[in-house]
C-alpha cells in the first residue's frame, strides 16, 4: 500500500501514510481502493456522465462497521467526504475530487417481513431490487419511477412515485434508520430513539450521517395494477393539459397521472411516422380494485385522439421499470425543478413554448402529480416541508456531447425561469443540480431550515458531511 494525498475540509492536502491506510484497510470487511485499483472506477462512476471526479481513496463498505471506520478516519484527518448510495443524484455529490469516498453500493441486503409488513433495506439497494423482493409478497412502499435509482439518497430527500398519493412519501413510511454520525458512532433513530435525528433524516438529505440500514413500512400493492401510457400528438397539448387539470382535480388518490412532454422515442407501440416528433404522454398508474381503477382513469383516456393508448393490467414491479430505457446511465444530464400548487394557464403556455424549442431528442419536461396522502402530513412533521404541493415540474435535459453543454443548459434555465412565476418557490431537494446551493435554505427547506441547521450543529458541528445540498450548522 502506498501513501495517499487527500483533500481536507479546508481544501488543504493531508498525506496519509502507507501505515495509516494499511491500518484502515486491515480493519475493513469491504475494500479500500486507490486510483488504478480494481473497483475504483466502478465506484466513482455515477449516473450523470457530467460528473467525473477522482477521490484519493474509496472505502467500498461491506458492513456498517466499515462505515464507522471510514467516518472515524475522515474525522481524525479532517478529510473531505462523499457518500455514495445508488449514485443517481443529478448533482453528483456522491463523488468528491481528492477526498475520501464512502461507497455503499455493495451493501445490498433486503429482508422482508411479510407478517409485520416491514422491510430492512441496506443503502446499496436499488429501487428495483427492493420492489422485486417486496412484490414476492404482494407488498410495496412508495418508490420512484426509475428502478436503478438508489434507495439511500432517494429516501433521505423524501422520495415519491406512482403510489405516493395513496401511501405518502417514502420518508412517511420510514420506521427507523441505523446511522453513523459525524462523531463516528453507529446509532439508531426512530420516533422513540433519537427522534430529532429521525426527524432530520426524513428529508434532510445526507447532512446528518451515513445511513447503513433503513426500516420501511409496506402496503399491499398489486402484484398487478392498472398502468400504462397514453400518447398524444403535441399539437393538442393545450386542450389536453386543460383536460388533465380537470381530471386530476377529482381523481381518487389510488390514481396517479404524470405528464411527459418530449419527442417520441422509437417505442414499438408507436407508429414509425411519429418517432422523433413532439408528443404529450400521460403516464398513469392506479392501485387497488382493477375495475374501479379502470373506471377512474376513463375520463383521462377519453381526452383528445391519442396516437396510442397502452393502459391495462401490468405487474407493478414491471411498471416501476417502464421509464428505465429512457433514463439509462452515461448521458450528460442537467435538471431544474419547481413545485406548483396548481396548473395555471400561463404555466401551460410555458410548457408548450418550452417543448417547441426542445434542444434534443432525449430532453423532456415531466410534470409529476402529488397530493393525497403526501399532503395530509404536516409540513413540520418531517424535514421535507412541501406538503401543499400538487405538482412537481422537472426539466430533464439530457444529451451526449460535452461541447453542447451550454446550448442544453441554456434551454433548461430559460424554461425554468419562465415557469418560476407560477411556482411556489419550493423545490424538491433530490431534483436540484449542483449549482443550486442558494436554493437550499428557502427553496428546499423553507420553514424547516432553522431547525435543521440547529440539528446539523448538534450532530455534525464541523460540517463533515458537506458533499450534499448542504445545511450549514446553525446557532
Ligand atoms: C433517472 C432518475 C429518476 C428519478 N426519479 C425519481 C422519482 O421518481 N422520485 C423521486 O423522489 N426521486 C427521483 N429521482 C431523484 C432521486 O431521488 C435522487 O437522485 C437520489 O438522490 C438518488 O439516490 P442515490 O442513492 O441513487 O444517489 P447518490 O448519488 O448515491 O446519493 C445522493 C446523495 O445522497 C446522500 N447519500 C446517499 N446515500 C447515503 C447514505 N446511505 N447516508 C447518507 N447520505 C447518503 C449523499 O449526500 C449523496 O450525494 C430520480 C433520479 C434519477 C437520476
Amino acid at each position: 500500500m502506498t501513501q495517499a494525498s487527500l483533500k481536507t475540509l479546508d481544501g488543504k492536502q493531508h498525506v496519509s501514510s502507507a501505515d495509516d491506510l494499511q491500518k484502515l484497510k486491515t480493519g475493513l470487511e469491504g475494500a479500500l481502493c486507490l486510483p488504478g485499483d480494481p473497483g475504483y472506477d466502478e465506484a466513482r462512476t455515477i449516473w450523470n456522465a457530467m460528473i467525473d471526479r477522482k477521490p484519493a481513496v474509496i472505502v467500498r463498505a461491506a458492513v456498517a462497521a466499515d462505515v464507522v471506520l471510514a467516518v472515524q478516519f475522515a474525522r481524525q484527518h479532517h478529510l473531505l467526504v462523499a457518500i455514495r448510495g445508488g449514485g443517481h443524484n443529478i448533482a453528483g455529490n456522491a463523488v468528491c475530487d481528492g477526498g475520501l469516498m464512502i461507497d455503499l453500493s455493495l451493501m445490498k441486503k433486503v429482508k422482508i417481513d411479510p407478517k409485520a409488513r416491514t422491510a430492512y433495506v441496506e443503502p446499496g439497494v436499488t429501487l428495483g431490487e427492493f420492489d422485486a423482493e417486496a412484490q414476492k409478497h404482494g407488498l410495496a412502499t412508495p418508490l420512484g419511477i426509475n428502478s436503478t435509482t438508489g434507495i439511500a439518497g432517494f429516501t433521505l430527500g423524501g422520495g415519491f412515485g406512482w403510489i405516493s398519493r395513496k401511501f405518502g412519501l417514502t420518508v412517511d413510511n420510514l420506521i427507523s434508520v441505523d446511522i453513523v454520525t459525524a462523531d463516528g458512532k453507529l446509532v439508531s433513530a426512530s420516533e422513540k430513539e433519537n427522534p430529532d435525528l429521525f426527524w432530520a433524516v426524513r428529508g434532510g438529505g445526507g447532512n446528518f450521517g451515513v445511513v447503513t440500514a433503513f426500516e420501511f413500512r409496506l402496503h399491499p400493492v398489486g402484484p398487478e395494477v392498472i398502468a400504462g401510457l397514453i400518447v398524444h400528438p403535441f399539437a393538442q397539448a393545450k386542450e389536453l393539459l386543460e383536460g388533465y387539470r380537470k381530471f386530476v382535480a377529482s381523481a381518487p388518490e389510488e390514481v396517479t397521472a404524470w405528464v411527459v412532454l418530449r419527442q417520441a422515442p422509437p417505442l414499438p407501440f408507436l407508429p414509425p411516422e411519429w418517432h422523433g416528433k413532439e408528443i404529450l404522454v400521460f403516464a398513469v398508474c392506479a392501485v387497488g380494485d382493477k375495475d374501479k381503477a379502470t373506471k377512474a382513469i376513463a375520463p383521462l383516456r377519453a381526452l383528445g385522439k391519442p396516437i396510442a393508448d397502452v393502459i391495462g393490467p401490468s405487474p407493478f414491479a414491471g411498471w416501476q421499470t417502464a421509464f428505465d430505457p429512457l433514463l439509462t446511465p452515461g448521458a450528460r444530464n442537467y435538471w431544474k425543478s419547481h413545485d406548483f400548487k396548481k396548473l395555471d394557464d400561463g404555466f401551460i403556455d410555458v410548457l408548450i413554448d418550452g417543448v417547441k424549442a426542445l434542444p434534443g431528442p432525449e430532453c423532456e419536461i415531466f410534470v409529476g402529480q402529488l397530493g393525497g396522502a403526501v399532503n395530509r402530513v404536516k409540513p413540520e412533521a418531517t424535514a421535507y416541508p412541501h406538503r401543499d404541493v400538487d405538482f412537481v415540474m422537472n426539466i430533464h435535459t439530457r444529451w451526449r456531447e460535452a461541447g453542447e453543454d451550454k446550448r442544453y443548459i441554456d434551454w433548461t434555465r430559460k424554461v425554468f425561469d419562465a415557469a418560476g412565476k407560477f411556482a411556489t418557490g419550493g423545490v424538491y431537494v433530490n431534483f436540484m443540480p449542483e449549482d443550486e446551493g442558494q436554493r437550499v435554505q428557502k427553496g428546499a427547506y423553507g420553514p424547516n431550515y432553522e431547525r435543521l441547521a440547529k440539528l446539523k450543529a448538534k450532530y455534525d458541528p464541523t460540517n463533515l458531511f458537506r458533499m450534499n445540498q448542504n445545511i450549514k450548522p446553525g446557532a
Side-chain angles (χ1 to χ4, degrees):
M1 174 124 310
T2 52
Q3 63 178 36
S5 177
L6 285 124
K7 201 182 209 171
T8 59
L9 288 175
D10 53 11
K12 296 188 180 140
Q13 293 300 124
H14 162 83
V15 179
S16 278
S17 68
D19 274 1
D20 275 352
L21 290 172
Q22 189 57 48
K23 215 165 129 199
L24 174 61
K25 184 175 176 171
T26 309
L28 297 175
E29 195 171 317
L32 186 144
C33 295
L34 300 179
D37 285 347
Y40 175 84
D41 282 327
E42 180 189 79
R44 75 176 188 89
T45 305
I46 59 170
W47 184 81
N48 186 358
M50 287 184 88
I51 311 295
D52 179 20
R53 300 196 185 124
K54 297 188 172 76
V57 173
I58 303 178
V59 169
R60 305 201 78 189
V63 290
D66 289 353
V67 177
V68 170
L69 283 183
V71 170
Q72 285 173 347
F73 187 82
R75 177 187 156 87
Q76 191 187 349
H77 302 293
H78 309 285
L79 302 178
L80 181 67
V81 183
I83 309 162
R84 178 195 165 127
H88 248 245
N89 195 279
I90 191 77
N93 286 317
V95 203
C96 53
D97 257 331
L100 171 74
M101 176 179 177
I102 303 176
D103 171 28
L104 304 162
S105 63
L106 303 178
M107 293 181 66
K108 281 209 174 281
K109 283 196 196 93
V110 180
K111 241 174 26 205
I112 307 293
D113 182 337
K115 258 202 184 145
R117 290 187 181 160
T118 57
Y120 165 94
V121 184
E122 288 192 341
V125 169
T126 64
L127 306 190
E129 290 162 348
F130 182 6
D131 267 335
E133 287 305 310
Q135 278 290 281
K136 285 181 188 163
H137 308 278
L139 298 171
T141 209
L143 300 176
I145 65 152
N146 179 207
S147 76
T148 57
T149 308
I151 191 68
F154 174 85
T155 301
L156 294 170
F160 59 79
W162 298 115
I163 57 172
S164 297
R165 282 166 45 72
K166 178 68 183 164
F167 299 115
L169 293 179
T170 311
V171 282
D172 300 334
N173 291 280
L174 192 59
I175 301 169
S176 70
V177 292
D178 292 342
I179 180 168
V180 180
T181 45
D183 56 4
K185 296 203 172 104
L186 177 63
V187 298
S188 292
S190 65
E191 293 284 5
K192 290 205 178 116
E193 251 178 302
N194 299 306
D196 57 352
L197 181 57
F198 187 56
W199 178 86
V201 297
R202 284 177 289 163
N207 275 284
F208 296 92
V210 188
V211 174
T212 57
F214 297 87
E215 186 191 4
F216 293 103
R217 200 171 298 119
L218 301 170
H219 308 272
V221 174
E224 262 194 351
V225 295
I226 300 295
L229 307 176
I230 313 170
V231 183
H232 287 274
F234 187 74
Q236 269 103 60
K238 195 168 174 60
E239 302 78 51
L240 290 165
L241 287 168
E242 285 165 0
Y244 169 79
R245 178 168 63 190
K246 219 165 150 190
F247 169 75
V248 293
S250 61
E253 58 196 41
E254 283 76 12
V255 174
T256 299
W258 289 24
V259 181
V260 188
L261 303 160
R262 57 170 297 138
Q263 290 173 3
L267 295 171
F269 59 85
L270 288 178
E273 63 270 25
W274 278 98
H275 297 174
K277 301 238 169 73
E278 281 76 26
I279 49 169
L280 178 151
V281 182
F282 293 129
V284 187
C285 177
V287 292
D289 178 84
K290 283 190 220 153
D291 289 339
K292 271 195 195 156
T294 307
K295 242 189 214 157
I297 296 170
L300 189 67
R301 298 177 86 177
L303 293 176
K305 285 203 185 112
I307 306 161
D309 175 337
V310 286
I311 290 192
S314 162
F316 178 66
W319 172 245
Q320 291 278 81
T321 68
F323 283 90
D324 286 4
L326 299 179
L327 299 169
T328 49
R332 302 178 77 76
N333 288 272
Y334 185 74
W335 289 4
K336 269 193 172 296
S337 179
H338 279 304
D339 284 349
F340 298 85
K341 286 187 187 166
K342 57 189 171 71
L343 302 175
D344 281 291
D345 289 343
F347 175 47
I348 290 178
D349 291 341
V350 169
L351 292 174
I352 292 171
D353 290 346
V355 174
K356 282 182 184 159
L358 271 176
E362 295 191 78
C363 301
E364 58 194 16
I365 306 178
F366 253 78
V367 179
Q369 186 196 2
L370 287 171
V374 175
N375 290 9
R376 282 198 291 276
V377 177
K378 291 209 162 66
E380 66 279 9
T382 65
Y384 175 98
H386 314 290
R387 302 296 186 162
D388 56 353
V389 165
D390 278 320
F391 305 95
V392 172
M393 175 195 71
N394 201 2
I395 312 168
H396 288 176
T397 309
R398 189 175 158 87
W399 67 101
R400 301 284 161 173
E401 299 296 327
E404 292 268 53
D405 288 2
K406 186 176 176 328
R407 186 167 73 84
Y408 281 87
I409 291 171
D410 282 354
W411 172 78
T412 322
R413 291 188 174 144
K414 216 168 148 189
V415 179
F416 170 81
D417 288 346
K421 69 173 163 190
F422 306 103
T424 62
V427 60
Y428 175 38
V429 74
N430 273 351
F431 286 170
M432 290 165 66
E434 68 172 327
D435 58 5
E436 286 199 333
Q438 81 290 353
R439 290 182 91 194
V440 172
Q441 182 165 354
K442 279 200 179 135
Y445 295 115
N448 289 341
Y449 188 83
E450 209 182 307
R451 184 172 174 199
L452 282 164
K454 278 188 190 149
L455 289 169
K456 179 77 173 173
K458 176 175 173 186
Y459 286 102
D460 184 14
T462 65
N463 204 5
L464 179 66
F465 302 118
R466 64 180 64 184
M467 288 292 299
N468 42 45
Q469 300 295 355
N470 196 231
I471 296 164
K472 306 268 180 308

